Amino acid sequence: MKSSRGSWERKMAAAGLWPRVGRLFEMAPALGPWPRLYSTSPAFAEVLRLPQKQLTKVLYPLRELEQHLVSDTGPGLIEQRLFDPSLEDIARAESVFAATARNRIEYLSSAVRLDHAPSLQQPEVCFIGRSNVGKSSLIKALFSLAPDVEVRVSKKPGHTKKMNFFKVGKYFTLVDMPGYGYRAPEDFVDMVETYLKERTNLKRTFLLVDSVVGITKLDNIAVEMCEEFALPYVMILTKIDRSSKGYLLKQVLQIQKYVNTQTQGCFPQLFPISAVTHSGVHLLKCFIADVTGSLK
Ligand code: GDP
């Protein structure tokens, strides 16, 4: 079943009207001297001190990849770059993810069934992906400015996998869904399906795909689930530090083609990330902050 909401969002995005993105649509100024940023974390200040080439790679990995596109490769990635926030917006989003006395970021609870999930009004985002895709590593990277948050990993066979809920200040809840695939508990599909179908405050689903491996049969099933429930979802490509630029570009183009031709509800822009170098992680934080209305 194709999602009409998805195609609506896609059209809005194509027309430059992606809901709530507002001024984030403005093309970021060429990476030269940036506007004066208000208080930012020492870690992010460090990022801003990187030489320009490295800064582009860390903050805008797609932009960096585009430079290596040859003209006969067909439609590039530029058309897909709908979310292109300024450095200032990226810095603002950093503060949403930085734990302070006034911005408490904490693990809330775990649940195996939706009716055990915390009942919250604030917007929610969830992360799904097959086991080993790099989900825990990415969530740890997202919470690097909240060192007290423990991202629980349960990988032992037979160990019940749960949905883990994290509260990000007054802004939103982040849900780490159990990894699917080999070793997934039998009730996994029920748990995840019910959550995706019925969680009313769910704003965005982030589907992780390993950039080295590409889209697997298991990823396809997750895509079909998101499409069937007409969910607005976003594809994250993990472990981009593991490949050569040429191989990564090939993979990104292939996955982009898949998104363009096989999906309706998927945001047309991919989010390549590395939990090791943190490339793409700041941009992703900004996107999450935006879709949850945290940048207002
Ligand atoms: P999960 O099962 O999806 O939670 O996957 P993990 O986060 O545990 O990662 C699975 C494996 O991939 C681990 O060995 C990680 O160290 C590795 N990994 C995860 N993310 C990255 C990344 O961005 N770059 C590299 N090089 N390795 C990664």
Side-chain angles (χ1 to χ4, degrees):
M1 192 176 87
K2 293 291 177 197
S3 122
S4 54
R5 183 170 166 195
S7 61
W8 173 81
E9 279 195 304
R10 182 187 289 267
K11 281 178 194 151
M12 294 284 281
L17 297 169
W18 184 252
R20 289 190 304 277
V21 172
R23 69 197 193 87
L24 296 185
F25 262 95
E26 294 161 17
M27 293 295 281
L31 285 178
W34 39 82
R36 193 144 51 90
L37 300 168
Y38 43 85
S39 74
T40 184
S41 70
F44 193 63
E46 192 100 329
V47 171
L48 293 174
R49 278 195 289 272
L50 288 172
Q52 190 159 313
K53 215 172 146 194
Q54 263 176 287
L55 183 70
T56 309
K57 191 172 172 177
V58 170
L59 294 186
Y60 304 102
L62 268 188
R63 191 185 293 183
E64 203 253 348
L65 268 182
E66 274 163 13
Q67 294 165 7
H68 302 272
L69 266 183
V70 283
S71 53
D72 61 357
T73 336
L77 305 168
I78 290 176
E79 299 93 304
Q80 324 296 345
R81 213 176 59 205
L82 300 163
F83 182 74
D84 202 14
S86 64
L87 279 171
E88 198 185 354
D89 286 322
I90 295 179
R92 281 172 66 209
E94 283 295 302
S95 60
V96 171
F97 285 85
T100 61
R102 292 182 59 197
N103 188 42
R104 290 187 60 172
I105 302 180
E106 57 196 350
Y107 162 78
L108 272 183
S109 62
S110 298
V112 286
R113 286 172 32 188
L114 183 59
D115 49 4
H116 293 167
S119 142
L120 300 159
Q121 297 307 312
Q122 57 189 28
E124 197 156 279
V125 293
C126 77
F127 286 73
I128 61 172
R130 62 172 181 77
S131 308
N132 228 34
V133 73
K135 188 159 54 63
S136 328
S137 305
L138 172 59
I139 294 174
K140 277 183 197 155
L142 291 172
F143 287 148
S144 65
L145 301 177
D148 294 340
V149 173
E150 193 197 333
V151 180
R152 288 155 194 236
V153 190
S154 64
K155 288 195 176 141
K156 291 191 197 121
H159 198 277
T160 310
K161 297 186 182 181
K162 298 175 177 172
M163 305 183 264
N164 299 314
F165 292 79
F166 300 90
K167 190 171 168 13
V168 180
K170 61 180 190 311
Y171 300 111
F172 62 91
T173 323
L174 185 152
V175 190
D176 177 13
M177 301 296 276
Y180 48 78
Y182 180 71
R183 289 181 187 169
E186 280 179 9
D187 58 353
F188 166 81
V189 175
D190 283 348
M191 186 201 315
V192 176
E193 267 196 18
T194 313
Y195 171 86
L196 293 178
K197 215 166 23 179
E198 296 179 14
R199 191 71 166 167
T200 49
N201 55 334
L202 179 62
K203 293 291 177 219
R204 225 39 123 241
T205 297
F206 291 90
L207 169 57
L208 277 65
V209 169
D210 188 326
S211 69
V212 183
V213 179
I215 292 178
T216 65
K217 280 185 191 157
L218 284 169
D219 299 325
N220 243 319
I221 294 170
V223 165
E224 279 168 17
M225 208 188 315
C226 293
E227 292 284 330
E228 190 184 330
F229 303 151
L231 294 172
Y233 64 104
V234 179
M235 214 176 272
I236 295 176
L237 309 184
T238 62
K239 308 183 190 177
I240 61 168
D241 60 286
R242 280 201 176 165
S243 308
S244 68
K245 211 156 278 172
Y247 182 76
L248 179 62
L249 190 55
K250 176 176 145 280
Q251 291 292 87
V252 169
L253 286 169
Q254 215 165 62
I255 298 169
Q256 185 68 63
K257 190 170 168 197
Y258 171 92
V259 167
N260 293 352
T261 57
Q262 312 288 312
T263 72
Q264 290 283 312
C266 187
F267 188 58
Q269 176 177 331
L270 301 171
F271 282 79
I273 64 103
S274 162
V276 173
T277 64
H278 282 210
S279 178
V281 171
H282 305 281
L283 188 69
L284 180 61
K285 283 185 192 174
C286 190
F287 187 78
I288 297 170
D290 180 56
V291 296
T292 53
S294 308
L295 291 179
K296 278 180 205 148

